């Protein structure tokens, strides 16, 4: 026997009235929280340091993120240039790679259609190396 959700999906696909009324909306605050969580996970920045704003982009949602990014100390990079590869590349490369991943995560979690994700790096947080080996 089909689940209620499957029955609704099948009715909607068939273009028939499903017999269920109502609508679902995701508030801007909820979308903002999801965006902050996705960016925090992808770019390893505390969510409370991420500012997310939304705008309409021809009927789709455009997301702008403003955040600091963590970088290794310049001394550490000078000693071992491969440290950049270990963290995902330069600031520019990390931002480029993060855009698509963040867009995919938000779309998957909310079902919202995003046209773009713009990332503005507003500062850096220097992280000294981990344990000395």
């Amino acid at each position: 026997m089909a689940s209620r959700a499957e029955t609704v999906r099948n009715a909607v696909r068939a273009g028939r009235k499903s017999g269920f009324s109502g609508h679902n909306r995701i508030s801007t605050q909820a979308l903002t929280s999801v965006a902050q969580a996705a960016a925090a996970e992808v770019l390893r920045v505390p969510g409370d340091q991420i500012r997310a704003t939304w705008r309409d982009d021809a009927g789709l949602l455009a997301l702008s993120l403003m955040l600091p990014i963590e970088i290794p100390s310049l001394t550490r990079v000078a000693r071992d240039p491969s440290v950049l590869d270990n963290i995902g590349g330069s600031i520019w490369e990390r931002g480029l790679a993060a855009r698509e991943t963040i867009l995919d995560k938000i779309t998957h979690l909310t079902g919202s259609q995003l046209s773009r994700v713009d990332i503005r790096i507003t500062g850096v947080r220097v992280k000294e190396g981990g344990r000395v080996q």
Side-chain angles (χ1 to χ4, degrees):
M1 177 168 248
S3 71
R4 181 177 171 111
E6 188 175 326
T7 301
V8 171
R9 277 194 300 273
N10 290 338
V12 170
R13 281 189 197 119
R16 297 184 306 238
K17 184 171 172 121
S18 66
F20 302 109
S21 60
H23 60 272
N24 293 331
R25 289 196 181 149
I26 302 173
S27 72
T28 303
Q29 182 56 48
L31 284 171
T32 298
S33 295
V34 171
Q36 288 170 323
E41 182 178 307
V42 172
L43 291 167
R44 293 177 287 234
V45 175
D48 63 351
Q49 294 185 12
I50 298 170
R51 183 168 166 232
T53 58
W54 299 92
R55 65 181 168 79
D56 180 272
D57 186 21
L60 299 176
L61 290 171
L63 171 63
S64 293
L65 296 168
M66 288 150 276
L67 54 104
I69 195 164
E70 192 172 86
I71 63 168
S73 72
L74 296 178
T75 305
R76 185 172 168 211
V77 173
R79 278 194 314 258
D80 181 9
S82 70
V83 76
L84 287 179
D85 294 331
N86 296 339
I87 63 167
S90 69
I91 294 170
W92 182 261
E93 293 166 330
R94 290 163 59 197
L96 286 175
R99 289 190 318 203
E100 186 172 348
T101 304
I102 292 168
L103 185 143
D104 289 343
K105 282 181 179 289
I106 294 168
T107 299
H108 178 73
L109 290 169
T110 68
S112 299
Q113 295 295 312
L114 277 68
S115 61
R116 62 185 300 132
V117 174
D118 298 318
I119 298 174
R120 175 176 290 178
I121 306 299
T122 59
V124 295
R125 296 176 20 191
V126 178
K127 180 178 180 184
E128 291 300 325
R131 299 185 321 241
V132 177
Q133 297 183 7

